[in-house]
Amino acid sequence: DTVMTQSPATLSVSPGERATLSCRASQSVSTTVAWYQQKPGQAPRLLIYGTSTRATGIPARFSGSGSGTEFTLTISSLQSEDFAVYYCQQYNNWPLAFGGGTKVEIK
Amino acid sequence: EVQLVQSGAELKKPGESLKISCKASGYYFNDYWIAWVRQMPGKGLEWMGIIYPGDSDTRYSPSFQGQVTISADKSITTAYLQWSSLKAPDTAIYYCARPRDSNIADAFDIWGQGTVVTVSS
């Protein structure tokens, strides 16, 4: 099974600053990686799919990159509504797998 | 509007059975896989399994194989997740989700609101 490992577990960032979140796959997953945002009491929301394509309605400050086993989600200038937990997910191999999550908190 | 609407919160005792639902609307139900995802209290997301309503093809994550049953009723565009004998560690929020494309291997852009299941004596 493919294991997705996210780092760091918690990221403290000031509003307006850049946030960089990492996700590593235990084996190659090509570019079949998605990123989700989850706020307390809400269902996850798809941000990025295919490593770098923003989902409908997602602001341009969210960007994704990577391939193979190393992936990154960048939030260029954090807004107050971006403080949340972010999960990566691979959909190249069954079973599908999420990373453990990165909590982005206000510094 | 494409939507997945899940059944309400459940409070059950250990050993009881349970079936929760996920009602789909706004698209052709038979053509898209629907997955189930568990989120234990304060923890991350876990894939449980997935079903293709068109032919009931079902795949389970090894961690959940034999522990739950996933099914679907095309006539009422509803998917189900059921347990025959609940345990306290089954306490969690359960989400259903649909992929972007009619392909098992795709990101999930439509999510239900979640069903809270509490198992306690």
Side-chain angles (χ1 to χ4, degrees), chain B residues 28-46:
Chain B
Y28 189 52
F29 182 68
N30 292 10
D31 279 357
Y32 286 80
W33 295 81
I34 289 187
W36 287 94
V37 176
R38 183 176 78 175
Q39 187 166 40
M40 299 177 76
K43 302 298 184 183
L45 305 171
E46 302 173 87

Side-chain angles (χ1 to χ4, degrees), chain A residues 26-75:
Chain A
S26 61
Q27 60 183 298
S28 178
V29 293
S30 184
T31 57
T32 54
V33 166
W35 290 90
Y36 300 84
Q37 176 193 69
Q38 189 180 32
K39 297 180 180 178
Q42 296 184 16
R45 177 174 72 144
L46 178 65
L47 297 176
I48 300 283
Y49 62 91
T51 295
S52 59
T53 303
R54 282 189 300 278
T56 302
I58 301 304
R61 63 180 181 273
F62 291 92
S63 63
S65 63
S67 68
T69 62
E70 300 285 343
F71 300 88
T72 300
L73 174 70
T74 301
I75 312 171

Side-chain angles (χ1 to χ4, degrees), chain B residues 83-97:
Chain B
W83 296 258
S84 58
S85 180
L86 286 160
K87 308 177 185 63
D90 292 319
T91 296
I93 301 172
Y94 294 88
Y95 294 101
C96 59

Side-chain angles (χ1 to χ4, degrees), chain B residues 8 13 18-19 21 23 28 32 60 74 79 84 88 93 100 106 113:
Chain B
K13 290 181 167 47
L18 176 64
K19 191 173 189 177
S21 66
K23 168 73 174 175
Y28 189 52
Y32 286 80
Y60 292 94
K74 291 186 289 187
S84 58
I93 301 172
R100 290 180 48 251
D106 205 343
Q113 82 277 21

